[in-house]
């Protein structure tokens, strides 16, 4: 108890630090220092609309994915990678706001723009329940919520993920992927054009499993928006 009070007092009086590099901030209203902001690895060139990698991506890793479209504003590197980690473990709302602002500002106009009411909604990729319990914070949901506030698109947390990841230990990768696909399910009505939201697009296997669940529940077109995209493996 006493140590918690001390920790809170230290946090109160310590100068606010950059969420990416931890140097003290001159302007405590900004979660990220000017150097990290300048060094953010924006994906500025032409991107493959299917997989989000710099074009040309052939062979496209998303050619057979259940999502039609994937996009991220940042490469998963440098300060962008540090911000993803900070969001995962720190859970600052100011950080989710900043990251969603960067996503909304750079997104192609037809991805997060106006749609006929009731057709599109932001759907957070569900975290593994054990992870959410452990951290008490779901970064995909925080990003989706901040993005909904910013774009006016509705938030629809219609997917959930079962547990039992420990049973996957020792299984082959394809068996794990099949299990992952089954483990994500729609738990409520699904919009016709869902936009999946997550922090990082790595292999695309989780986005594919989530998109499959949305299609099984009746979605006709699925897009995926993440803060960062890893380079091709
Ligand atoms: Zn910094
Ligand atoms: Zn591609």
């Amino acid at each position: 108890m006493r140590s918690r009070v001390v920790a809170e007092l230290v946090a109160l009086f310590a100068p606010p630090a950059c969420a990416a590099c931890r140097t003290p901030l001159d302007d405590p209203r900004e979660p990220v220092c000017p150097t990290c902001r300048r060094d953010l690895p924006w994906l500025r060139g032409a991107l493959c609309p299917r997989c989000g990698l710099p074009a040309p991506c052939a062979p496209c890793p998303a050619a057979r994915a259940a999502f039609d479209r994937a996009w991220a504003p940042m490469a998963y590197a440098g300060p962008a990678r540090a911000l993803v980690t900070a969001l995962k473990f720190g859970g600052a709302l100011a950080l989710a706001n900043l990251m969603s602002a960067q996503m909304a500002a750079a997104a192609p106009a037809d991805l997060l723009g106006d749609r006929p009411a009731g057709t599109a909604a932001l759907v957070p990729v569900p975290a593994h329940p054990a992870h959410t319990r452990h951290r008490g914070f779901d970064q995909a949901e925080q990003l989706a919520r901040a993005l909904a506030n910013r774009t006016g698109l509705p938030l629809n947390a219609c997917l959930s993920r079962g547990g039992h990841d420990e049973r996957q230990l020792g299984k082959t990768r394809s068996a794990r992927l099949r299990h992952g696909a089954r483990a994500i399910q729609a738990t409520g009505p699904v919009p016709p054009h869902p936009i999946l939201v997550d922090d990082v697009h790595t292999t695309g296997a989780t986005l594919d499993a989530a998109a499959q669940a949305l299609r099984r529940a009746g979605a006709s077109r699925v897009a995926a928006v993440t803060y960062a995209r890893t380079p091709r493996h």
Side-chain angles (χ1 to χ4, degrees), residues 48-53 57-63 232:
C48 169
R50 284 290 324 255
C51 69
L53 286 173
C57 63
C60 181
R232 186 190 287 277

Side-chain angles (χ1 to χ4, degrees), residues 47-53 55 57 59-72 201 204 207-208 211 215 222-224 229:
L47 302 174
C48 169
R50 284 290 324 255
C51 69
L53 286 173
C57 63
C60 181
R64 284 182 299 176
F67 51 85
D68 305 274
R69 192 167 178 189
W71 176 84
H201 179 167
L207 290 172
D208 187 39
R215 285 190 183 276
V222 182
R229 178 71 170 98

